[in-house]
Amino acid sequence: MVLDEKLEPVYAAVTARNPGETEFHQAAREVLESLGPVLAKHPEYNEHKVIERICEPERQIIFRVPWQDDHGEVQINRGFRVEFNSVLGPYKGGLRFHPSVNLGIVKFLGFEQIFKNALTGLPIGGGKGGSDFDPKRRSDDEIMRFCQSFMTELFRHLGEHTDVPAGDVGVGGREIGYLFGQYKRITNRYESGVLTGKGLDWGGSQVRTEATGFGAVFFLAEMLRARGDSFDGKIALVSGSGNVAIYAIEKIHDLGGRVVACSDSDGIVHDEKGIDVELLKQVKERERGRVSDYADRRPTAEFVAGGNLWGLPCDIAVPSATQNELTGTDAERLVRNGCIAVAEGANMPCTPEAVRTFLAAGVAFGPGKAANAGGVATSALEMQQNASRDSWTFEYTEERLAGIMRDIHDRCFETADEYGTPGNYVNGANIAGFIKVANAMVALGLV
Ligand code: GLU
């Protein structure tokens, strides 16, 4: 897609100032592509160079993370925290531990997070962090030593009113526990609101574990409802088998759909009878196993090493593994096979070609910054409970999450309409998220 002529130089500056950071370029370009008509309506954004400022993180921290493995050998990893934008609240966003993590990946995720967090309507800015540490096949002791070393540097940048990390790929309840323990020890403060995704016994929120997956399905349900349809009897594919995928599958089943396949980096599991969520939880959450272990124990399931999920017929697809996992060719196959709705459970799992294909075919497409905002929204609810030293019930918290997802859907839907692209949730999300942040940036002066 061509960029508005005012935005061409802005994008050129982003690529020139951030060489080699292809995922960041991709995320920035996707937002800029939506903003031409916004600048026409709001010349003040141009005057205040809001877009140029939004593309430049407020602060970027890179640090050494030394630790010792179980053999006594010294290991060195690199840690990152990109504090991208704080006009709406403290920097908020997860930590990702994965060998693919580098500055460009963290910046793409942090950039997405600004708009996602704005869409939740809650007072949270945007940030992201992580490390190129690979948690796969590491012992609990190694994970703990790594988390302690990571926090020994990161703690000085955090605070409940400053920067509040949470989990992402490779960071779940276990890691948040070790990180929180070290923060508490170094600072001598029981500052619950400094991290979210905590355990239920020590300041965590109900529904936080389920929130991203549940939220993505609530968003899908709203998109289907807007077209006079529902989940009833629908066949779905959910890629991945981590925290997002597991709870997306659970909620799709609750709402009357059937998920027939999921995956991990080794391959896919196809289960015509529908994925057995309890067995999947047992294998993935308790045993930290692989989807091939699930297939070994489930007579109706078949494991295909290195298989591509997107060739299977379905009505609904929820890519919930990682960035750029679903290509233009995959999207064409999905459309040909009758797919009518897609929601991004992961961050930017669809390539720009895939997104274009879905939009051109009239598929209801929920971009990640809207569809997967339920996780961070529930993190903000966790902060709210921590601040008031309260804890809410599962039912009440889930109701709040469902309401937030409905509001995000409606805001994206109405904004897409207002800007002349009805049904285009990509434009709706980019524009609605951007305007909220941009207005605050103008109001707060040159900061
Ligand atoms: N990592 C999640 C995301 O991509 C959640 C972040 C949070 O809860 O702060 O939005």
Side-chain angles (χ1 to χ4, degrees), residues 205-257:
S205 173
Q206 295 285 354
V207 195
R208 177 61 192 88
T209 306
E210 296 84 355
T212 313
F214 278 17
V217 176
F218 291 146
F219 192 90
L220 265 168
E222 292 300 317
M223 291 200 298
L224 291 169
R225 197 180 49 82
R227 297 174 168 217
D229 205 342
S230 79
F231 267 104
D232 217 16
K234 297 282 190 304
I235 300 294
L237 305 174
V238 177
S239 65
S241 49
N243 176 257
V244 181
I246 290 172
Y247 294 97
I249 297 171
E250 181 170 307
K251 190 50 78 179
I252 291 173
H253 289 174
D254 280 356
L255 297 184

Side-chain angles (χ1 to χ4, degrees), residues 80-81 93-97 128-130 150 154 165-169 171 179:
F80 301 90
R81 187 74 181 165
L95 298 170
R96 176 176 292 194
F97 291 170
K128 202 85 183 193
F150 186 84
L154 189 65
D168 194 80
V169 175
V171 178
L179 291 164

Side-chain angles (χ1 to χ4, degrees), residues 137 240-241 262-271 275 279-280 283-284 287-307:
R137 285 181 288 278
S241 49
C262 64
S263 63
D264 62 21
S265 53
D266 298 336
I268 68 170
V269 58
H270 185 203
D271 191 340
I275 300 286
L279 178 58
L280 188 64
V283 168
K284 296 291 300 189
E287 299 170 16
R288 297 186 185 274
R290 313 292 299 165
V291 293
S292 55
D293 301 322
Y294 169 94
D296 286 345
R297 280 190 241 165
R298 174 93 167 154
T300 51
E302 186 200 356
F303 174 70
V304 185

Side-chain angles (χ1 to χ4, degrees), residues 375-404:
V376 75
T378 308
S379 278
L381 301 181
E382 182 172 332
M383 292 162 75
Q384 199 174 319
Q385 292 168 80
N386 293 153
S388 57
R389 302 187 186 282
D390 198 358
S391 74
W392 306 341
T393 63
F394 191 97
E395 291 69 28
Y396 175 70
T397 316
E398 188 179 9
E399 224 171 86
R400 290 287 300 264
L401 169 63
I404 291 167

Side-chain angles (χ1 to χ4, degrees), residues 15 55 281 367:
T15 54
C55 291
K281 281 186 196 171

Side-chain angles (χ1 to χ4, degrees), residues 310-337:
W310 311 121
L312 299 168
C314 71
D315 304 302
I316 290 165
V318 190
S320 307
T322 193
Q323 63 271 4
N324 291 326
E325 56 162 307
L326 196 162
T327 65
T329 320
D330 295 329
E332 280 165 24
R333 275 201 288 181
L334 283 164
V335 170
R336 248 198 329 270
N337 285 338

